[in-house]
Amino acid sequence: MLAGPDEFSYIGPASLGNDRFITYRKIRLASETDPDRYVRVGVPVQTALEESTRSIAKNLALLFSFLLAAFLLSYLIGKRSIVDRISRLEVASHCLAAGDLKTRVADSVSGGELGSLAASFDAMALKLAHREQELEQARHSSDNANRAKSEFLANMSHEIRTPMNGVLGMTQLMRFTDLNSEQKEYLDSLELSGKNLLALINDILDLSRIEAGRMQLESADFSLRRSVEEVVANQSSQIRQKGLQLQVDIRQQVPELVCGDSLRFKQILLNLLGNAIKFTQTGSITISIAVSSCWETGCTIRMLVQDTGIGMAAEEVERIFGAFEQADNSITRKYGGSGLGLAICQRLVELMGGRIWVESAPGQGSTFSVELPYTIRYKGVEPPPPAQDRKPVAPLSKKPLKILIAEDNPLNADTLAAMLKRMGHETRVAANGRAAIDLWQTWACNCILMDISMPEMDGRLAMAAIREQEARIGGRTPIIALTAHALLGDRERFLAEGFDGYIAKPVDVHELADELKRMSEPA
Ligand code: ADP
């Protein structure tokens, strides 16, 4: 007999095989009198283990298949929505790249990593839109500042040119008086200083106009050869005075006529040649012009200005194209100049689509190279004849004219009156536009010299009022605009407005005579 349950004691599994499981029990026999003696019995549970393993495996396989199916399904659904959201982000980025800064994508792509990517995208687009707004405002204020600067410079130029007109006009008039040699020398210095000051004002005006984007280039056919000749003729006395040799080499293939801005071409060459003369004590200067490349309708002209002068060190070469830059501080003292010429040249060359550079070494001379692209339009056509040389001033007109001077500045009015008197003309002065109209109505004048900037009524309004009255009563008095606003294209502008002629201040006595001659000998 076996003992009751309270007398059982579990020992636990003693061995576990691949397919069997045996547990052992301590059993006290009922017949046993010694309470500490037991029998150890093994109970095999092989069949039960096999079955439960199979059932667990079956259940696991089922669970796994179910999980796999669920995963595949959610992957396919998820994949579709990810692709969709990425493509929305892509479209938005294209819109942004095309400049549509109002593009937003976070509303249509929300949640998860793509959602936070979309939110960052929106934040970036917002920031860009703000930046653009700020940039637009900055551009606007910089445009305003540039305009103000240009206006300031134009006004300054007017203010400085007006007294310069008096100074240079008087020096020209003094040449018609009897002067001893000492006085002539002083007069030369006075005139030279006046002209230098005027050149400086013109340089500052040029540079500021280029920098304000207001430099307009002309486009007309001109002869490169003739332009070079004119510049050389302009500098020939300085070359002679310094005893320098000048060689001009214009290659055969250089076209006779090119289309561009001849004035600016001459300005560049004049500056380079002027510098070559200034910085060369002995030796020679060579100007060479050749064609460096060609295309169907045009060519690139390469111009070299070489000298055997003082040359420059590498670090000086780097600076000289900057505004107000000179190779070293002693330059102004020794050679004069303001350091603006090359800055203007470089900007002009760039404006014309070309480039300028220099090769130089101290004591070895310098070679300035300029490349400029030009259109060749009228191959083989003869250019217009050169302007005729100026004739001596007095007496310029055999027929005395009655000339009305409308000018508010008494010094300028006096200078003009003296110049005109010297030419044998009769003059009367009106101090503003209204006074000029009154005088014109009562005095039968042959011509009016009309200053543009005048108090009370300016020259434009006065001219318009005279033209209006002439339309009713008949006749036409030639009116020459007189202005210190000497900008490129001004002549054409004034002529288009109804003036018959144009003279820039400071008035040059030869130009005045030429313009009056043109008025009295209509084509
Ligand atoms: P400026 O001659 O009025 O001083 P530029 O802008 O024309 O102004 O020239 C700037 C500087 O470049 C000059 O002051 C000079 O130091 C240097 N430079 C220009 N041309 C030459 C040259 N041919 N030889 C040596 N130095 C030169």
Side-chain angles (χ1 to χ4, degrees):
M1 279 290 286
L2 288 175
D6 58 321
E7 288 167 291
F8 269 69
S9 168
Y10 174 71
I11 295 173
S15 72
L16 180 67
N18 279 343
D19 54 355
R20 338 196 261 152
F21 175 42
I22 302 166
T23 69
Y24 295 89
R25 293 271 187 271
K26 280 200 283 182
I27 294 166
R28 184 160 52 82
L29 295 172
S31 56
E32 185 61 62
T33 51
D34 184 355
D36 295 328
R37 288 194 62 189
Y38 295 90
V39 178
R40 197 160 167 263
V41 180
V43 184
V45 286
Q46 183 182 8
T47 323
L49 183 64
E50 262 178 22
E51 258 175 33
S52 77
T53 307
R54 260 200 296 276
S55 122
I56 287 170
K58 206 170 127 192
N59 285 341
L60 273 176
L62 251 172
L63 184 69
F64 184 72
S65 330
F66 175 74
L67 279 176
L68 189 70
F71 175 76
L72 273 173
L73 197 70
S74 69
Y75 171 75
L76 284 174
I77 294 169
K79 195 180 162 204
R80 260 196 66 192
S81 102
I82 288 171
V83 169
D84 191 42
R85 290 157 83 201
I86 288 178
S87 75
R88 267 183 222 162
L89 270 170
E90 194 198 356
V91 170
S93 70
H94 280 312
C95 291
L96 196 69
D100 177 10
L101 299 183
K102 288 196 180 111
T103 307
R104 298 289 179 274
V105 79
D107 285 349
S108 51
V109 181
S110 56
E113 271 136 24
L114 283 180
S116 55
L117 190 65
S120 313
F121 180 91
D122 280 7
M124 181 182 75
L126 193 71
K127 234 181 216 165
L128 277 176
H130 277 307
R131 285 267 160 81
E132 177 147 295
Q133 223 170 9
E134 282 169 13
L135 206 70
E136 190 50 46
Q137 273 166 3
R139 199 165 30 218
H140 189 66
S141 22
S142 117
D143 281 354
N144 282 347
N146 252 343
R147 242 193 312 278
K149 187 180 95 175
S150 297
E151 265 162 39
F152 169 76
L153 282 164
N155 289 339
M156 278 291 291
S157 110
H158 179 79
E159 296 307 320
I160 300 171
R161 275 160 183 265
T162 303
M164 280 310 294
N165 188 29
V167 173
L168 288 174
M170 285 300 167
T171 57
Q172 291 183 57
L173 283 172
M174 270 176 79
R175 291 206 182 277
F176 299 127
T177 63
D178 290 332
L179 298 169
N180 64 31
S181 60
E182 197 182 0
Q183 285 168 328
K184 266 190 192 140
E185 215 174 286
Y186 293 157
L187 194 63
D188 287 346
S189 302
L190 190 67
E191 200 171 36
L192 186 69
S193 303
K195 283 185 174 162
N196 283 347
L197 182 57
L198 203 63
L200 181 62
I201 298 165
N202 288 338
D203 277 356
I204 293 175
L205 262 173
D206 265 357
L207 194 67
S208 65
R209 245 180 279 141
I210 298 172
E211 291 194 337
R214 284 177 49 172
M215 170 65 75
Q216 280 166 1
L217 295 175
E218 275 194 359
S219 182
D221 293 333
F222 73 98
S223 160
L224 283 167
R225 277 190 178 77
R226 193 155 288 159
S227 300
V228 175
E229 279 164 20
E230 279 173 37
V231 172
V232 168
N234 181 283
Q235 295 292 300
S236 60
S237 67
Q238 277 92 322
I239 297 170
R240 251 197 321 274
Q241 269 171 25
K242 288 189 93 171
L244 300 170
Q245 297 288 318
L246 177 75
Q247 277 177 19
V248 179
D249 173 20
I250 301 176
R251 294 286 157 86
Q252 200 86 63
Q253 77 274 40
V254 172
E256 188 49 51
L257 284 183
V258 292
C259 180
D261 194 323
S262 62
L263 206 75
R264 299 300 169 187
F265 172 81
K266 285 190 267 187
Q267 186 178 353
I268 294 164
L269 178 57
L270 187 67
N271 193 75
L272 298 182
L273 182 59
N275 278 347
I277 299 168
K278 190 158 73 170
F279 297 109
T280 306
Q281 302 314 322
T282 53
S284 64
I285 297 169
T286 308
I287 300 172
S288 19
I289 302 204
V291 172
S292 68
S293 66
C294 261
W295 61 96
E296 226 171 89
T297 53
C299 61
T300 297
I301 298 292
R302 179 177 290 181
M303 175 168 74
L304 303 185
V305 179
Q306 282 172 293
D307 65 55
T308 55
I310 59 169
M312 284 169 279
E315 64 272 15
E316 294 167 346
V317 164
E318 273 175 31
R319 284 192 289 116
I320 57 167
F321 290 104
F324 297 106
E325 288 286 0
Q326 295 181 316
D328 69 64
N329 295 333
S330 64
I331 289 284
T332 309
R333 221 177 332 111
K334 271 205 240 162
Y335 301 95
S338 62
L340 279 177
L342 288 177
I344 294 171
C345 281
Q346 190 188 41
R347 284 156 181 79
L348 281 177
V349 167
E350 281 170 3
L351 211 60
M352 295 190 216
R355 60 193 190 110
I356 179 169
W357 69 99
V358 58
E359 285 146 278
S360 186
Q364 308 282 305
S366 310
T367 302
F368 281 84
S369 307
V370 180
E371 272 188 352
L372 291 168
Y374 283 112
T375 312
I376 313 167
R377 270 222 290 251
Y378 307 116
K379 275 183 185 165
V381 176
E382 265 302 298
Q388 296 212 324
D389 282 340
R390 282 179 173 159
K391 307 216 161 52
V393 176
L396 286 165
S397 171
K398 288 199 177 82
K399 188 180 145 216
L401 300 170
K402 287 180 184 161
I403 299 173
L404 195 164
I405 301 169
E407 165 67 80
D408 60 311
N409 182 298
L411 179 63
N412 287 348
D414 286 352
T415 313
L416 272 172
M419 283 180 177
L420 293 166
K421 193 174 158 215
R422 181 84 215 167
M423 297 176 205
H425 304 306
E426 185 188 342
T427 58
R428 288 199 195 173
V429 177
N432 62 56
R434 203 171 301 286
I437 297 172
D438 292 345
L439 188 55
W440 168 77
Q441 283 168 335
T442 53
W443 187 50
C445 60
N446 304 107
C447 178
I448 303 174
L449 288 180
M450 183 80 83
D451 184 28
I452 296 298
S453 304
M454 284 188 290
E456 259 185 75
M457 182 186 264
D458 70 22
R460 281 196 175 86
L461 288 176
M463 183 273 290
I466 290 172
R467 291 285 177 254
E468 206 182 286
Q469 291 193 34
E470 283 174 345
R472 275 185 279 117
I473 58 171
R476 185 174 172 110
T477 311
I479 306 178
I480 297 173
L482 207 61
T483 174
H485 287 279
L487 305 182
L488 202 69
D490 269 359
R491 167 177 284 276
E492 292 68 26
R493 196 154 53 85
F494 284 113
L495 296 189
E497 282 176 25
F499 286 96
D500 302 282
Y502 165 91
I503 296 176
K505 288 180 186 178
V507 173
D508 178 276
V509 72
H510 297 93
E511 270 175 37
L512 178 62
D514 286 350
E515 204 68 352
L516 286 174
K517 204 158 166 250
R518 208 171 60 77
M519 295 290 109
S520 49
E521 296 171 353

